[in-house]
Amino acid sequence: MKQKLIYLVIMFAIVSGIVFQPSQVEAQAKKVYWDGILMVPGQAGKIKVIKPINLWKRTADGLVFERILKPGEQYRVYRYDNLYGGQYGLGGNMYITKVEGYVDYRTPSKAKLRELELAQGQGTVTPPSNGSSNLFPTEAKPNLSIGKVVNQSITQIAPGVRKKFFDVDGTNGKQNVFVVDYDGKTANIEMKAELAKDQVIGFESTSSQANSVAQNDSYHVVAGVNGDYFDKQGQPIDLMMIGGSIVSTPQTALSDLAVLGITDTGKAIIGAPQVAMNLSVNGQSYAINSVNRKRSANHLVVYTRDFAGTTGTNELGTEVRVKVESGKLNGAEVLTGTVTENMTGAGNAALSSGEIILSGHNFASDFLKNLQVGDKVEISTSFTPAEWNSVRESVSGRYHLVKNGVLQTITTPGIAPRTAIGVKKDGSIFTAVIDGRTTKSKGLTLQNTAKLMKDLGAQYAMTFDGGGSSTVVVRELGNNKVTVANKPSDGAERAVANSLLFISKYKTSAVMTITPSSSTVEVFQGAAYSDLSVAVKGIDQYMNPVPISGKGKVTSTILKSEGGKQVVTAGPGTYPGVVTYDGKTTNIQLKVTNTLDDIKLSESYLQVQKGQSIQLAASGMKNGQAVLTEASAFSWTTTAGTIQPNGKFTAQAKDGIGTIVVKYGTKSITVPVIVGEVSPTILESFNKGILNYEATGDRVNSVSVQGVANDRDGTKALKLVYDFTNTTGTSGAYVKAKTQLTISVPPKKIGMWVKGDGKGNWLRAQLVDATGKTVQLDLSKDVNWTDWQFVETEVPAGLSYPLKMDLPVRFMQTENAKKSSGEIIIDDIQAIYKD
């Protein structure tokens, strides 16, 4: 009881006046005062109580009343959000509701905040001025045992945190290496473990885990990697801690255990900790076997709401519900609580926030049966080595790669994608994800992963889960959420058990610089742009996104001003440019291309008078959009007159047929042109014989073609001989062109001379347009004449040219009673261009 009273006194002191007392850490740093109050890192402002107001504690079940604050009391404020009508956060999950007239809230000046940063040694990032050079710092390329770094890129994604990419020409193949590097000393940066779906049982992708974290203007997830190996239910295999509490205890033998821990001071350690836990109640004690693990024979297990909705146990045991009153499951605190329920022979107890379930089997069950409602319980935890008692966040892996600067020997075979984490001698922390199983990045053995981590400066290093699980997510500049930065080998993100996140607690401030929404803008060779601009994103001095509206103007040495427009003067390639928005500038790449999907013209064909002029317009199409409309960017040629670089066509002074050809890059389009009064074009006269033609048929006894002398004008012609007698259904005798007749200029009609046989059959011709569409032309539905007769029919509008005539003649009979045999002669098949 005495111990409890001491604890309550300490807690009251923390919630009350000690908020403004310097801690031991603060006493060691240079003191910065604001209005007579000592400032601390992460402080956003201060609040003074004007009228009595409630102090609330936020829990998973909602607000819990703590006490009434008195007028004159002052508190540091670390955050503000809109929950519960708007509340100021005082730290320790304590909040004051924003009520006008009851509190006075003030914020320090930027100069004062900067003074605090410098005093705390966090001046490692100089806020960028009018530009973005500090967002992309330069570093010497590292010397790697696995190969030569041929390309690297570095981006500052938060103060003290950098995203790095290395394109490695490896000794065993190409490698893509993605690194997130935290200097370990910049204030307001912390590392946090995260569970899939906020519970031990389950799966969730790394990006989803990161983006599901509640964020605000003072709490930002800036990067993360996948974490521990997991079983088929999604449970992390070994030790995990979140927020100072054990989420799962380790299962792997100490000789093979590898765990990353983050202490309460932010220090990262890698080791193989052994954890011992003990339950004390009514003067008796009992060893706890595990936390949030499957209950085995004779085991005593502690289940928390982090596990799942229920314990998942069977009825062969006892489960005791305990309301937690203070403390957490870690090496620095003792968890205390009160028994509220004792359940024997039931199992699968429901798990709720603010409670734990003590679950025992056999001997452990016998011990728990003696617990009564109202009994006080204590759970103590201790780690070996002792430094793990101060760990507040932890994620496990499997293989130790580097220990105390010494490269470890790992004989486990296999090349695969890898995820690893290292701690440098200066305390900085970095993760490395190596893609694998592709031609762009082969992957590494564990031994080569160890060499990589040592080469990158690791004093201690270990692996997280690899293979298809290997994922790194980053909040790219200007974005509100993280996205996947690497190429997971499954082709998409794999759902995993947990992750390790990098958190920035710098409060979003005013726009300092900008970044384009895309690092490259595509422009077309020869194109003229009246307003070449791109969407931009705002970034503050801490690399936080700041919403802005509008676009930034793009300029470059390859853009020449002409007539109020910017004309692209360079050929295909990539060139530097600048984006300007509201006086702020940033760099961008201009990719000049001359590649289109196709070209569309304002006219599909032209029929003009001699000497007539007409203005044509062209559109270069890509992905269904007109991306190029400047006429001078295209090449224009014609055989039917003259055409200017701006697309203005003037017809020739004589009747005729020709074309206009429009080109850009590898694409071209041809426009047929009819000038004046054009005589019919003979598509086939048969004067060179009938070798290009063959007879085919359907439901015929026989069909053939012959070359004959034309008794109409003395030239040659083609005879079609057929026999439909005694057949049923639609019979057809066809003349097929082996090399199809081509019609490039849209005619009004198609015609031919036909010497009939008076049998009353149906005469047709068949065309195919440029899209593959088949068109049937009816020349006569009743060939009832026996002499020469010219027949013609109109060509439908809306066809795509050129047309191909594959069956110039289709001679058919649909009625069985009219089936007969006979022959017809065909001559001078022609395209007609006037009525």
Side-chain angles (χ1 to χ4, degrees):
M1 191 68 179
K2 181 178 180 181
Q3 183 180 7
K4 181 179 179 182
L5 287 174
I6 294 174
Y7 173 81
L8 291 175
V9 170
I10 294 173
M11 288 300 295
F12 180 82
I14 291 174
V15 174
S16 56
I18 200 170
V19 175
F20 282 138
Q21 298 301 316
S23 67
Q24 183 177 1
V25 174
E26 293 166 356
Q28 295 173 354
K30 178 183 176 181
K31 297 179 176 62
V32 177
Y33 289 89
W34 167 45
D35 288 347
I37 302 300
L38 179 66
M39 294 185 69
V40 298
Q43 181 179 350
K46 67 183 183 69
I47 200 166
K48 183 176 182 180
V49 178
I50 306 301
K51 296 180 182 180
I53 191 170
N54 292 345
L55 175 67
W56 302 96
K57 181 176 183 178
R58 286 189 187 177
T59 70
D61 297 323
L63 295 179
V64 176
F65 171 77
E66 288 291 325
R67 68 183 183 91
I68 296 177
L69 303 180
K70 299 178 181 179
E73 293 183 23
Q74 296 188 73
Y75 298 89
R76 297 188 186 98
V77 174
Y78 297 92
R79 59 177 293 184
Y80 175 83
D81 59 34
N82 293 319
L83 295 179
Y84 304 104
Q87 289 190 320
Y88 299 101
L90 311 183
N93 285 331
M94 299 297 177
Y95 287 81
I96 299 175
T97 304
K98 181 180 180 181
V99 181
E100 188 174 355
Y102 282 73
V103 292
D104 177 31
Y105 173 67
R106 297 182 183 181
T107 58
S109 65
K110 292 182 179 179
K112 186 60 68 175
L113 289 172
R114 185 60 180 162
E115 181 182 354
L116 177 63
E117 291 176 9
L118 295 173
Q120 297 298 321
Q122 65 181 64
T124 57
V125 177
T126 303
S129 54
N130 184 23
S132 57
S133 59
N134 289 317
L135 298 177
F136 306 100
T138 58
E139 293 181 2
K141 292 180 181 178
N143 293 318
L144 303 180
S145 304
I146 64 169
K148 179 181 179 181
V149 177
V150 292
N151 289 299
Q152 76 173 16
S153 62
I154 303 173
T155 305
Q156 195 82 39
I157 58 174
V161 184
R162 293 179 174 183
K163 176 192 75 169
K164 302 177 181 179
F165 169 73
F166 304 119
D167 184 6
V168 181
D169 186 2
T171 53
N172 294 314
K174 294 181 179 179
Q175 306 291 350
N176 288 338
V177 181
F178 302 82
V179 171
V180 177
D181 195 334
Y182 165 46
D183 65 17
K185 61 184 179 181
T186 298
N188 292 339
I189 302 295
E190 65 179 33
M191 303 186 74
K192 178 183 183 299
E194 182 68 16
L195 264 175
K197 303 295 184 182
D198 293 326
Q199 64 179 40
V200 170
I201 301 293
F203 300 90
E204 188 178 11
S205 68
T206 304
S207 64
S208 180
Q209 290 182 44
N211 290 325
S212 66
V213 173
Q215 301 183 55
N216 54 55
D217 64 356
S218 298
Y219 196 88
H220 315 269
V221 179
V222 297
V225 294
N226 65 290
D228 199 357
Y229 298 79
F230 48 87
D231 65 16
K232 63 182 179 180
Q233 290 185 299
Q235 295 189 66
I237 295 299
D238 284 311
L239 178 66
M240 183 179 183
M241 296 180 68
I242 298 178
S245 188
I246 295 175
V247 168
S248 62
T249 43
Q251 303 177 105
T252 301
L254 282 177
S255 58
D256 296 322
L257 182 63
V259 186
L260 167 78
I262 307 296
T263 70
D264 50 9
T265 62
K267 178 184 176 182
I269 55 178
I270 290 176
Q274 186 174 9
V275 58
M277 304 181 71
N278 193 72
L279 168 67
S280 297
V281 57
N282 297 326
Q284 295 181 305
S285 64
Y286 202 96
I288 295 171
N289 296 95
S290 63
V291 176
N292 291 332
R293 296 294 183 191
K294 182 179 179 180
R295 189 183 68 193
S296 300
N298 298 312
H299 274 203
L300 176 59
V301 182
V302 178
Y303 288 103
T304 72
R305 183 59 185 86
D306 293 321
F307 179 70
T310 64
T311 61
T313 55
N314 60 30
E315 71 279 6
L316 304 177
T318 300
E319 296 194 322
V320 174
R321 187 178 305 279
V322 176
K323 180 182 180 181
V324 177
E325 295 174 346
S326 64
K328 295 182 178 181
L329 298 175
N330 63 54
E333 301 178 58
V334 174
L335 184 147
T336 64
T338 302
V339 175
T340 60
E341 187 179 9
N342 193 314
M343 302 159 282
T344 300
N348 201 31
L351 293 167
S352 302
S353 298
E355 297 179 338
I356 61 171
I357 295 291
L358 302 173
S359 181
H361 174 268
N362 199 14
F363 299 137
S365 174
D366 293 341
F367 179 82
L368 293 179
K369 287 178 182 178
N370 296 318
L371 273 63
Q372 303 294 319
V373 173
D375 283 349
K376 302 298 181 181
V377 302
E378 292 184 349
I379 297 177
S380 59
T381 305
S382 64
F383 284 92
T384 305
E387 66 176 340
W388 285 83
N389 287 323
S390 62
V391 167
R392 293 296 176 266
E393 306 282 332
S394 71
V395 178
S396 297
R398 181 165 298 173
Y399 300 97
H400 289 273
L401 304 175
V402 183
K403 286 185 178 180
N404 198 25
V406 178
L407 185 71
Q408 301 299 290
T409 299
I410 307 170
T411 59
T412 303
I415 295 174
R418 304 291 180 188
T419 302
I421 186 162
V423 180
K424 298 180 183 180
K425 196 169 185 178
D426 62 2
S428 58
I429 307 159
F430 69 96
T431 62
V433 169
I434 304 94
D435 277 347
R437 300 170 181 162
T438 70
T439 56
K440 292 185 177 180
S441 187
K442 186 175 181 180
L444 294 177
T445 62
L446 286 167
Q447 189 63 61
N448 279 338
T449 305
K451 291 178 181 178
L452 171 67
M453 297 303 284
K454 189 174 189 315
D455 290 341
L456 291 175
Q459 186 77 358
Y460 289 88
M462 57 175 274
T463 64
F464 287 145
D465 189 13
S469 298
S470 287
T471 306
V472 56
V473 297
V474 173
R475 184 188 70 172
E476 303 294 350
L477 293 174
N479 290 353
N480 290 309
K481 295 184 176 182
V482 301
T483 53
V484 179
N486 70 313
K487 301 290 184 184
S489 63
D490 286 356
E493 257 192 290
R494 178 183 290 180
V496 295
N498 57 10
S499 59
L500 179 69
L501 306 180
F502 293 77
I503 308 296
S504 170
K505 298 171 74 173
Y506 284 89
K507 182 178 176 62
T508 302
S509 57
V511 175
M512 182 65 70
T513 187
I514 59 171
T515 186
S517 56
S518 174
S519 61
T520 303
V521 58
E522 186 177 60
V523 294
F524 289 84
Q525 181 180 355
Y529 297 92
S530 56
D531 180 24
L532 185 57
S533 58
V534 296
V536 293
K537 302 173 183 179
I539 306 171
D540 73 0
Q541 61 180 327
Y542 306 118
M543 294 98 231
N544 294 320
V546 182
I548 58 177
S549 59
K551 293 185 175 182
K553 182 177 178 61
V554 178
T555 56
S556 173
T557 56
I558 68 164
L559 300 175
K560 180 181 179 182
S561 296
E562 287 184 3
K565 294 184 177 181
Q566 294 171 286
V567 180
V568 180
T569 60
T574 302
Y575 306 88
V578 174
V579 180
T580 304
Y581 172 86
D582 194 26
K584 299 176 178 62
T585 62
T586 188
N587 296 325
I588 195 170
Q589 295 290 320
L590 280 76
K591 180 182 178 182
V592 179
T593 181
N594 62 359
T595 302
L596 298 173
D597 293 337
D598 56 72
I599 301 171
K600 290 185 177 181
L601 295 179
S602 55
E603 306 290 341
S604 58
Y605 76 96
L606 292 179
Q607 187 163 8
V608 296
Q609 298 300 316
K610 290 177 286 187
Q612 182 181 350
S613 295
I614 188 169
Q615 180 66 54
L616 298 177
S619 296
M621 307 300 295
K622 195 162 189 178
N623 299 323
Q625 301 293 321
V627 296
L628 183 64
T629 57
E630 187 70 17
S632 60
F634 297 89
S635 169
W636 303 80
T637 58
T638 183
T639 61
T642 60
I643 193 163
Q644 299 176 16
N646 65 358
K648 185 176 182 180
F649 167 74
T650 301
Q652 62 192 22
K654 61 181 180 179
D655 297 333
I657 297 173
T659 60
I660 296 173
V661 178
V662 184
K663 293 183 177 180
Y664 184 86
T666 60
K667 297 294 181 181
S668 66
I669 187 171
T670 300
V671 179
V673 180
I674 302 172
V675 180
E677 298 292 328
V678 178
S679 300
T681 298
I682 302 299
L683 303 174
E684 179 58 82
S685 68
F686 302 107
N687 288 334
K688 293 182 180 181
I690 64 167
L691 291 178
N692 187 46
Y693 300 94
E694 61 184 359
T696 63
D698 187 19
R699 294 184 175 90
V700 297
N701 296 315
S702 63
V703 61
S704 64
V705 292
Q706 303 172 17
V708 296
N710 185 344
D711 60 1
R712 179 180 65 86
D713 61 5
T715 60
K716 294 180 180 181
L718 177 144
K719 179 191 289 187
L720 174 65
V721 182
Y722 65 92
D723 181 0
F724 295 159
T725 57
N726 299 321
T727 61
T728 59
T730 299
S731 296
Y734 312 132
V735 177
K736 180 180 180 181
K738 299 175 185 178
T739 300
Q740 299 173 351
L741 307 181
T742 300
I743 305 172
S744 298
V745 179
K748 291 184 176 295
K749 298 177 182 179
I750 295 294
M752 65 182 70
W753 285 97
V754 179
K755 186 175 184 179
D757 60 3
K759 302 297 178 69
N761 293 319
W762 183 10
L763 180 61
R764 311 181 87 186
Q766 178 173 293
L767 305 172
V768 179
D769 81 350
T771 67
K773 178 181 179 181
T774 300
V775 181
Q776 303 294 337
L777 301 178
D778 289 330
L779 293 161
S780 175
K781 291 189 176 182
D782 183 9
V783 179
N784 55 12
W785 64 90
T786 58
D787 203 351
W788 285 100
Q789 185 170 315
F790 188 77
V791 293
E792 62 183 18
T793 186
E794 291 187 355
V795 177
L799 301 180
S800 297
Y801 285 80
L803 304 179
K804 299 290 185 179
M805 185 177 284
D806 56 343
L807 296 175
V809 178
R810 299 188 72 209
F811 203 51
M812 305 167 66
Q813 182 52 255
T814 61
E815 298 181 32
N816 293 336
K818 293 183 178 182
K819 297 295 179 70
S820 63
S821 61
E823 61 184 37
I824 61 173
I825 299 175
I826 308 296
D827 196 16
D828 289 346
I829 302 172
Q830 54 197 269
I832 303 167
Y833 297 97
K834 61 181 180 179
D835 296 325

